[in-house]
Amino acid sequence: MSRRALITGITGQDGSYLAEHLLEQGYEVWGLVRGQANPHVSRLRKHIGDVRITTGDLLDQGSLISAVERVQPDEVYNLGAISYVPMSWQQAELTAEVTGMGVLRMLEAIRVVSGISPSRTPGRAQIRFYQASSSEMFGMVRETPQNERTPFHPRSPYGVAKSYGHYITQNYRESYGMFAVSGILFNHESPRRGAEFVTRKVSLGAARIRLGLATELRLGNLDARRDWGYAGDYARAMRLMLAQDAPVDYVIGTGRTQSVRELVDFAFRTAGLDWEDHVVLDEQYTRPAEVDLLCADPKRAREQLGWEPRIGFEALVTMMVESDLRLLSESARPEDEPFSPDHW
């Protein structure tokens, strides 16, 4: 019989790639959404195929218990979050509730449905849980590169909420014997990335200027450095973590960094442009507390999971710019894309 997976955040970038990957592996895939009338569901199905939908909300404990009872999953992937870091300063409390407490509610739903308690530990056929942790938890980094033992110092409400989700996942694993793991994923991008994220903002900006739809692109800090990979590669790592004999947390990244300036330069050159003719620095896009450098040490994932990224930085940026040139040439609007930035 095929394995059954439940994905929160299925209408986001990561959820869509994970759903595709699991379907290719023969899974029955269910997505958790906040309402059947969600407009992103029909567009998601056009791109992904045979995905089943159940309703639930990371703010509502009872709805999550009902969803887990209905689906009876073998695996739960908690990707749902308010994931745009700048928004977390504007909606700090909501970010804490969804991105942090939402993890606790999903773990509790699994525990309740499974009948797990301090005196009753799960059996071999227990539900396996994956939590989408983030490199933003490292924040003001203590060492470079960052591995599974590097201390956290988050620099945004988003990073703080993700840290809570990470630790509560670890706590349920140690308290109840649950198969619960966190993937500490570094920045991962694709043509499905929301238009508000810097990589997609750059690829769309370059495409708009190339097509004569704009003349400038306004950005903030060009010196921040990130470890950027391809979201489709990172979806493979999620499944591999739940396929192991024992629950272990993993850092997932490329081990290489580029600055935002290098990202902009390559994207504009891909579009046949000189970025210095079009990019304007704007202080409104500077974070209240900046994270200057994030770089993964994925040694554990490489050695224990056999995972390696397949798409490099330049191929990723080329993919995104060419996709946005096609998208805008067809007069489509990025906000009409099927993969929603609001994916919790």
Side-chain angles (χ1 to χ4, degrees):
M1 295 179 63
S2 63
R3 294 185 68 78
R4 187 177 300 140
L6 174 62
I7 303 172
T8 73
I10 196 167
T11 62
Q13 169 193 254
D14 292 7
S16 69
Y17 280 110
L18 178 61
E20 282 183 330
H21 176 63
L22 294 180
L23 287 168
E24 290 170 358
Q25 298 297 314
Y27 280 65
E28 178 183 311
V29 176
W30 288 73
L32 183 85
V33 300
R34 280 180 289 162
Q36 292 287 2
N38 188 319
H40 297 289
V41 172
S42 59
R43 293 199 290 266
L44 174 74
R45 282 188 167 134
K46 289 180 182 178
H47 287 74
I48 305 302
D50 189 21
V51 172
R52 304 186 183 192
I53 298 298
T54 190
T55 56
D57 191 329
L58 290 173
L59 296 176
D60 181 0
Q61 181 70 76
S63 73
L64 298 180
I65 292 173
S66 296
V68 174
E69 285 181 330
R70 179 189 179 195
V71 176
Q72 292 292 309
D74 299 292
E75 300 171 1
V76 172
Y77 295 85
N78 186 48
L79 312 185
I82 293 177
S83 58
Y84 183 47
V85 175
M87 186 183 294
S88 72
W89 277 281
Q90 300 166 16
Q91 295 182 289
E93 183 177 353
L94 182 61
T95 299
E97 284 288 348
V98 175
T99 306
M101 289 295 292
V103 186
L104 171 62
R105 295 187 187 103
M106 182 53 78
L107 285 164
E108 267 294 283
I110 294 170
R111 187 189 68 79
V112 169
V113 172
S114 303
I116 299 169
S117 68
S119 60
R120 186 179 183 278
T121 57
R124 292 175 59 86
Q126 66 170 301
I127 299 171
R128 298 189 169 203
F129 176 80
Y130 171 86
Q131 165 59 16
S133 288
S134 169
S135 59
E136 288 285 333
M137 300 185 305
F138 294 120
M140 186 180 290
V141 298
R142 310 283 184 88
E143 61 185 9
T144 298
Q146 296 89 52
N147 60 38
E148 295 82 2
R149 295 174 298 279
T150 301
F152 298 152
H153 187 148
R155 298 266 284 171
S156 66
Y158 169 82
V160 172
K162 279 292 186 181
S163 298
Y164 175 83
H166 181 87
Y167 281 126
I168 199 66
T169 299
Q170 182 184 83
N171 183 260
Y172 268 60
R173 180 171 70 221
E174 296 175 355
S175 298
Y176 299 111
M178 293 172 63
F179 196 109
V181 304
S182 292
I184 307 174
L185 272 56
F186 280 63
N187 294 66
H188 44 288
E189 318 297 327
S190 76
R192 300 177 188 175
R193 190 51 134 163
E196 70 274 22
F197 291 85
V198 67
T199 48
R200 188 73 193 292
K201 185 177 180 180
V202 168
S203 65
L204 275 168
R208 286 192 175 107
I209 294 168
R210 181 70 180 85
L211 295 172
L213 302 175
T215 59
E216 68 177 27
L217 174 64
R218 306 184 79 86
L219 295 171
N221 181 11
L222 298 184
D223 296 320
R225 301 187 68 86
R226 293 292 186 271
D227 184 329
W228 278 302
Y230 172 54
D233 285 338
Y234 290 45
R236 290 189 292 108
M238 298 176 196
R239 184 187 66 83
L240 288 171
M241 290 181 214
L242 293 194
Q244 302 306 297
D245 293 333
V248 177
D249 299 332
Y250 292 90
V251 160
I252 302 296
T254 70
R256 302 177 182 87
T257 68
Q258 285 82 25
S259 67
V260 176
R261 192 184 309 275
E262 290 169 318
L263 164 69
V264 171
D265 177 52
F266 189 78
F268 273 69
R269 283 193 285 117
T270 300
L273 301 166
D274 184 339
W275 72 271
E276 293 185 288
D277 294 335
H278 303 283
V279 172
V280 178
L281 299 184
D282 190 332
E283 289 187 1
Q284 72 170 307
Y285 297 114
T286 302
R287 294 183 180 185
E290 185 59 84
V291 174
D292 296 318
L293 171 65
L294 292 173
C295 181
D297 176 3
K299 180 180 179 181
R300 178 186 287 180
R302 183 173 61 249
E303 294 181 350
Q304 296 184 11
L305 301 179
W307 179 85
E308 293 274 7
R310 296 171 180 170
I311 303 294
F313 174 76
E314 293 189 353
L316 170 63
V317 177
T318 299
M319 177 197 309
M320 293 178 68
V321 172
E322 291 179 348
S323 174
D324 282 330
L325 284 167
R326 289 192 299 272
L327 178 69
L328 295 173
S329 295
E330 295 166 359
S331 299
R333 296 180 301 169
E335 56 266 29
D336 286 338
E337 294 176 293
F339 309 107
S340 168
D342 174 17
H343 60 269
W344 58 275

